[in-house]
Coordinates of all heavy atoms in Angstrom, one line a residue:
M1 N 119.4 161.4 156.5 CA 118.9 161.1 157.8 C 117.7 160.2 157.7 O 116.7 160.5 157.0 CB 118.6 162.3 158.6 CG 118.1 162.1 160.0 SD 118.1 163.6 160.9 CE 116.5 163.5 161.6
T2 N 117.6 159.1 158.4 CA 116.5 158.2 158.3 C 115.6 158.4 159.6 O 116.1 158.5 160.7 CB 117.0 156.7 158.3 OG1 117.9 156.6 157.2 CG2 115.9 155.8 158.2
I3 N 114.3 158.4 159.4 CA 113.4 158.5 160.5 C 112.7 157.2 160.6 O 112.2 156.6 159.7 CB 112.3 159.7 160.2 CG1 113.0 161.0 159.9 CG2 111.3 159.8 161.3 CD1 113.6 161.6 161.1
D4 N 112.6 156.7 161.8 CA 111.9 155.5 162.1 C 110.4 155.8 162.2 O 109.9 156.6 163.0 CB 112.4 154.9 163.5 CG 111.7 153.6 163.8 OD1 110.7 153.2 163.2 OD2 112.2 152.9 164.7
C5 N 109.6 155.2 161.3 CA 108.2 155.5 161.1 C 107.4 155.0 162.3 O 106.2 155.2 162.4 CB 107.7 154.9 159.8 SG 107.7 153.1 159.7
R6 N 108.1 154.2 163.3 CA 107.3 153.8 164.4 C 107.5 154.7 165.6 O 106.8 154.5 166.7 CB 107.9 152.4 164.8 CG 107.5 151.3 163.8 CD 108.2 150.1 164.0 NE 109.7 150.3 163.7 CZ 110.6 149.4 163.6 NH1 110.3 148.1 163.9 NH2 111.8 149.7 163.3
T7 N 108.3 155.7 165.5 CA 108.4 156.7 166.6 C 107.3 157.8 166.5 O 106.7 157.9 165.5 CB 109.8 157.4 166.5 OG1 109.9 158.2 165.3 CG2 111.0 156.4 166.5
E8 N 107.2 158.5 167.5 CA 106.2 159.6 167.5 C 106.5 160.6 166.4 O 105.6 161.0 165.7 CB 106.2 160.4 168.9 CG 105.5 159.6 170.0 CD 104.0 159.3 169.7 OE1 103.3 160.2 169.3 OE2 103.6 158.2 169.9
E9 N 107.7 160.9 166.2 CA 108.1 161.8 165.1 C 107.8 161.2 163.7 O 107.3 161.8 162.9 CB 109.6 162.2 165.2 CG 110.0 163.2 164.1 CD 111.5 163.5 164.2 OE1 112.3 162.6 164.6 OE2 111.9 164.6 163.7
G10 N 108.2 159.9 163.6 CA 107.9 159.2 162.3 C 106.4 159.1 162.0 O 106.0 159.3 160.8
I11 N 105.6 158.9 163.0 CA 104.2 158.8 162.8 C 103.6 160.1 162.4 O 102.8 160.3 161.5 CB 103.5 158.3 164.1 CG1 103.9 156.8 164.3 CG2 102.0 158.4 164.0 CD1 103.5 156.3 165.7
T12 N 104.1 161.2 163.1 CA 103.7 162.6 162.7 C 104.0 162.9 161.3 O 103.2 163.5 160.6 CB 104.3 163.6 163.7 OG1 103.9 163.2 165.0 CG2 103.8 165.0 163.4
I13 N 105.3 162.6 160.9 CA 105.7 162.9 159.5 C 104.8 162.1 158.5 O 104.4 162.6 157.5 CB 107.2 162.6 159.4 CG1 108.0 163.6 160.2 CG2 107.6 162.6 157.9 CD1 109.5 163.3 160.3
G14 N 104.6 160.9 158.8 CA 103.7 160.0 158.0 C 102.3 160.6 157.8 O 101.8 160.6 156.7
L15 N 101.8 161.1 158.9 CA 100.4 161.7 158.8 C 100.4 163.0 158.0 O 99.5 163.2 157.2 CB 99.9 162.0 160.3 CG 99.6 160.7 161.1 CD1 99.4 161.1 162.5 CD2 98.4 160.0 160.5
I16 N 101.5 163.8 158.2 CA 101.6 165.0 157.4 C 101.7 164.7 155.9 O 101.0 165.2 155.0 CB 102.7 165.9 157.8 CG1 102.4 166.4 159.2 CG2 103.0 167.0 156.8 CD1 103.6 167.1 159.9
D17 N 102.6 163.7 155.6 CA 102.7 163.2 154.2 C 101.4 162.7 153.7 O 101.1 162.9 152.5 CB 103.8 162.1 154.1 CG 105.2 162.7 154.3 OD1 105.4 163.9 154.2 OD2 106.1 161.9 154.5
A18 N 100.6 162.0 154.5 CA 99.3 161.5 154.0 C 98.4 162.6 153.7 O 97.7 162.6 152.7 CB 98.7 160.6 155.1
L19 N 98.4 163.7 154.5 CA 97.5 164.9 154.2 C 97.9 165.5 152.8 O 97.1 165.9 152.1 CB 97.6 165.9 155.3 CG 96.9 165.6 156.6 CD1 97.3 166.6 157.7 CD2 95.4 165.5 156.4
I20 N 99.2 165.6 152.6 CA 99.7 166.1 151.3 C 99.3 165.2 150.2 O 98.8 165.7 149.1 CB 101.2 166.3 151.4 CG1 101.6 167.4 152.4 CG2 101.8 166.6 150.0 CD1 103.1 167.4 152.7
S21 N 99.4 163.9 150.3 CA 99.0 163.0 149.3 C 97.5 163.1 149.0 O 97.1 163.1 147.8 CB 99.4 161.6 149.7 OG 100.7 161.4 149.8
I22 N 96.7 163.1 150.0 CA 95.3 163.3 149.9 C 94.9 164.6 149.1 O 94.1 164.6 148.2 CB 94.6 163.2 151.2 CG1 94.6 161.8 151.8 CG2 93.1 163.7 151.1 CD1 94.2 161.7 153.3
S23 N 95.6 165.6 149.5 CA 95.4 166.9 148.8 C 95.7 166.9 147.4 O 95.0 167.5 146.5 CB 96.2 168.0 149.5 OG 95.8 168.2 150.8
R24 N 96.8 166.2 147.0 CA 97.2 166.1 145.6 C 96.1 165.3 144.8 O 95.9 165.6 143.6 CB 98.5 165.4 145.5 CG 99.6 166.4 145.9 CD 101.0 165.8 145.7 NE 102.0 166.8 146.1 CZ 103.2 166.5 146.6 NH1 103.5 165.2 146.7 NH2 104.0 167.4 147.0
V25 N 95.5 164.4 145.4 CA 94.4 163.6 144.7 C 93.1 164.5 144.6 O 92.4 164.6 143.6 CB 94.2 162.3 145.3 CG1 93.0 161.6 144.7 CG2 95.4 161.4 145.2
L26 N 92.8 165.0 145.8 CA 91.5 165.7 145.9 C 91.4 167.0 145.1 O 90.4 167.3 144.5 CB 91.3 166.1 147.4 CG 90.0 166.7 147.8 CD1 88.8 165.7 147.5 CD2 90.0 167.0 149.3
V27 N 92.5 167.7 144.9 CA 92.5 168.9 144.1 C 92.1 168.7 142.7 O 91.6 169.6 142.0 CB 93.9 169.7 144.2 CG1 94.9 168.9 143.4 CG2 93.8 171.1 143.8
K28 N 92.3 167.5 142.2 CA 91.9 167.2 140.8 C 90.5 166.7 140.6 O 90.0 166.5 139.5 CB 92.9 166.1 140.3 CG 94.3 166.5 140.2 CD 95.3 165.4 139.9 CE 96.7 165.9 140.0 NZ 97.6 164.8 139.8
R29 N 89.8 166.6 141.7 CA 88.4 166.1 141.7 C 87.4 167.3 141.4 O 87.8 168.4 141.7 CB 88.0 165.5 143.1 CG 88.9 164.4 143.6 CD 88.8 163.1 142.8 NE 87.5 162.7 142.9 CZ 87.1 161.5 142.4 NH1 87.9 160.8 141.7 NH2 85.8 161.1 142.5
D30 N 86.2 167.0 140.9 CA 85.2 168.0 140.7 C 84.6 168.3 142.1 O 83.7 167.5 142.5 CB 84.2 167.5 139.7 CG 83.1 168.6 139.5 OD1 83.2 169.7 140.0 OD2 82.2 168.3 138.7
L31 N 85.0 169.3 142.7 CA 84.5 169.7 144.1 C 83.2 170.4 144.1 O 82.6 170.7 145.1 CB 85.6 170.4 144.8 CG 86.9 169.7 145.0 CD1 87.9 170.6 145.8 CD2 86.7 168.4 145.7
N32 N 82.6 170.7 142.9 CA 81.3 171.3 142.8 C 80.3 170.4 142.2 O 79.2 170.8 141.9 CB 81.4 172.5 141.8 CG 82.2 173.6 142.5 OD1 82.0 174.0 143.6 ND2 83.2 174.1 141.7
A33 N 80.6 169.1 142.2 CA 79.7 168.1 141.6 C 78.3 168.0 142.2 O 77.3 167.9 141.5 CB 80.4 166.7 141.5
T34 N 78.3 167.9 143.5 CA 77.0 167.7 144.2 C 76.9 168.6 145.4 O 77.8 169.1 145.9 CB 76.8 166.2 144.6 OG1 77.8 165.9 145.7 CG2 77.0 165.2 143.5
K35 N 75.7 168.6 145.9 CA 75.4 169.4 147.1 C 76.1 168.7 148.3 O 76.6 169.4 149.2 CB 73.9 169.4 147.4 CG 73.5 170.2 148.6 CD 72.0 170.2 148.8 CE 71.7 171.0 150.1 NZ 70.3 171.0 150.5
Q36 N 76.2 167.4 148.3 CA 76.8 166.7 149.4 C 78.3 167.0 149.4 O 78.9 167.1 150.5 CB 76.6 165.2 149.3 CG 75.1 164.7 149.5 CD 74.2 164.9 148.3 OE1 74.7 165.3 147.2 NE2 73.0 164.5 148.5
I37 N 78.9 167.1 148.3 CA 80.4 167.4 148.2 C 80.6 168.8 148.8 O 81.5 169.1 149.6 CB 80.9 167.3 146.8 CG1 81.0 165.8 146.4 CG2 82.3 167.9 146.7 CD1 81.4 165.6 145.0
K38 N 79.7 169.7 148.4 CA 79.8 171.1 148.9 C 79.6 171.2 150.4 O 80.3 171.9 151.1 CB 78.8 172.0 148.2 CG 79.1 172.2 146.7 CD 78.0 173.0 146.0 CE 78.2 173.1 144.5 NZ 77.2 173.8 143.8
E39 N 78.7 170.4 150.9 CA 78.5 170.3 152.4 C 79.7 169.8 153.1 O 80.1 170.2 154.1 CB 77.3 169.5 152.7 CG 76.0 170.2 152.3 CD 75.7 171.5 153.1 OE1 76.1 171.6 154.3 OE2 75.3 172.5 152.4
A40 N 80.4 168.7 152.4 CA 81.6 168.2 153.0 C 82.7 169.2 153.0 O 83.5 169.3 154.0 CB 82.0 166.9 152.2
L41 N 82.8 170.0 152.0 CA 83.8 171.1 151.9 C 83.6 172.1 153.0 O 84.5 172.6 153.6 CB 83.8 171.7 150.6 CG 84.4 170.8 149.5 CD1 84.2 171.5 148.1 CD2 85.9 170.6 149.7
K42 N 82.3 172.4 153.3 CA 82.0 173.3 154.4 C 82.4 172.8 155.7 O 83.0 173.5 156.6 CB 80.5 173.6 154.4 CG 80.0 174.5 153.3 CD 78.5 174.7 153.4 CE 77.9 175.5 152.2 NZ 76.5 175.6 152.2
D43 N 82.2 171.5 155.9 CA 82.7 170.8 157.1 C 84.2 170.9 157.2 O 84.7 171.2 158.3 CB 82.3 169.3 157.1 CG 80.8 169.1 157.3 OD1 80.1 170.1 157.7 OD2 80.3 168.0 157.0
L44 N 84.9 170.7 156.1 CA 86.3 170.8 156.1 C 86.8 172.2 156.5 O 87.7 172.4 157.3 CB 86.9 170.5 154.7 CG 88.4 170.5 154.5 CD1 89.0 169.4 155.3 CD2 88.7 170.3 153.0
I45 N 86.2 173.3 155.9 CA 86.5 174.6 156.3 C 86.3 174.9 157.7 O 87.1 175.7 158.4 CB 85.7 175.6 155.4 CG1 86.1 175.6 154.0 CG2 85.7 177.0 156.0 CD1 85.2 176.4 153.0
N46 N 85.3 174.4 158.3 CA 84.9 174.6 159.7 C 85.6 173.7 160.7 O 85.3 173.8 161.9 CB 83.4 174.6 159.9 CG 82.7 175.7 159.1 OD1 83.2 176.9 159.2 ND2 81.7 175.4 158.4
D47 N 86.4 172.7 160.3 CA 87.0 171.8 161.1 C 88.1 172.4 162.0 O 89.1 173.0 161.5 CB 87.6 170.6 160.3 CG 88.1 169.5 161.3 OD1 87.2 168.7 161.6 OD2 89.3 169.5 161.6
E48 N 87.9 172.4 163.3 CA 88.8 173.1 164.3 C 90.2 172.4 164.3 O 91.2 173.1 164.4 CB 88.2 173.1 165.7 CG 86.9 173.9 165.8 CD 86.3 173.8 167.2 OE1 86.9 173.2 168.1 OE2 85.2 174.3 167.3
D49 N 90.2 171.1 164.2 CA 91.5 170.4 164.2 C 92.3 170.8 162.9 O 93.5 171.0 163.1 CB 91.3 168.9 164.3 CG 90.7 168.5 165.6 OD1 91.0 169.2 166.6 OD2 89.9 167.6 165.6
L50 N 91.7 170.7 161.8 CA 92.4 171.1 160.6 C 92.9 172.5 160.6 O 94.0 172.8 160.2 CB 91.6 170.8 159.3 CG 92.2 171.1 158.0 CD1 93.5 170.3 157.8 CD2 91.3 170.9 156.8
S51 N 92.1 173.4 161.1 CA 92.4 174.8 161.2 C 93.7 175.0 162.1 O 94.6 175.7 161.8 CB 91.3 175.6 161.8 OG 91.6 177.0 161.9
A52 N 93.7 174.2 163.2 CA 94.8 174.3 164.2 C 96.1 173.8 163.5 O 97.2 174.4 163.7 CB 94.5 173.5 165.4
I53 N 96.0 172.7 162.8 CA 97.2 172.2 162.1 C 97.7 173.2 161.1 O 98.9 173.5 161.0 CB 96.8 170.9 161.4 CG1 96.5 169.8 162.4 CG2 97.9 170.4 160.4 CD1 95.9 168.5 161.9
L54 N 96.8 173.8 160.3 CA 97.2 174.7 159.3 C 97.8 176.0 159.9 O 98.8 176.6 159.4 CB 96.1 175.1 158.3 CG 95.6 173.9 157.5 CD1 94.3 174.4 156.7 CD2 96.7 173.4 156.5
N55 N 97.3 176.4 161.0 CA 97.8 177.6 161.7 C 99.2 177.3 162.3 O 100.1 178.1 162.2 CB 96.9 178.0 162.9 CG 95.7 178.8 162.3 OD1 95.7 179.4 161.3 ND2 94.6 178.7 163.0
K56 N 99.4 176.1 162.8 CA 100.7 175.7 163.3 C 101.7 175.6 162.1 O 102.9 176.0 162.3 CB 100.7 174.3 164.0 CG 100.0 174.4 165.3 CD 99.9 173.1 166.0 CE 99.2 173.2 167.4 NZ 99.1 171.9 168.1
A57 N 101.3 175.2 161.0 CA 102.2 175.1 159.8 C 102.6 176.5 159.4 O 103.7 176.6 158.9 CB 101.4 174.4 158.7
K58 N 101.8 177.5 159.6 CA 102.2 178.9 159.2 C 103.3 179.4 160.1 O 104.0 180.3 159.7 CB 101.0 179.8 159.3 CG 99.9 179.5 158.3 CD 98.7 180.4 158.5 CE 97.6 180.1 157.6 NZ 96.4 180.9 157.9
L59 N 103.5 178.8 161.3 CA 104.5 179.3 162.2 C 105.9 178.7 161.9 O 106.8 179.1 162.5 CB 104.1 178.9 163.6 CG 102.8 179.5 164.1 CD1 102.4 179.0 165.5 CD2 102.8 181.1 164.1
V60 N 105.9 177.7 161.0 CA 107.2 177.1 160.7 C 108.0 178.0 159.8 O 107.6 178.6 159.0 CB 106.9 175.7 160.0 CG1 108.2 175.1 159.6 CG2 106.2 174.8 160.9

């Protein structure tokens, strides 16, 4: 089945795939390198939108 990347569904799938791709690159980085990186990770943990997306993913 082919999904048109210009549709709402296609855009959503592309965004999810992008998050997965980013995670695959980010996991290999030194996330303890600097105080600024640690602060950015704290922001990530506290991000309400990311939390909502991950909670919705758990329902699938």
Side-chain angles (χ1 to χ4, degrees):
M1 181 170 129
T2 303
I3 303 291
D4 183 347
C5 64
R6 294 169 289 190
T7 64
E8 286 297 314
E9 181 182 30
I11 292 168
T12 300
I13 292 168
L15 291 169
I16 292 167
D17 287 345
L19 287 171
I20 293 168
S21 295
I22 290 168
S23 296
R24 287 185 178 150
V25 173
L26 188 57
V27 73
K28 297 173 186 172
R29 307 290 299 183
D30 181 2
L31 300 179
N32 292 311
T34 66
K35 181 179 178 182
Q36 291 84 359
I37 291 173
K38 291 176 186 178
E39 289 299 319
L41 288 170
K42 288 178 187 177
D43 291 343
L44 183 65
I45 288 171
N46 294 315
D47 188 84
E48 294 175 8
D49 295 324
L50 182 59
S51 180
I53 292 166
L54 294 174
N55 285 331
K56 288 179 183 180
K58 291 177 186 176
L59 299 176
V60 175

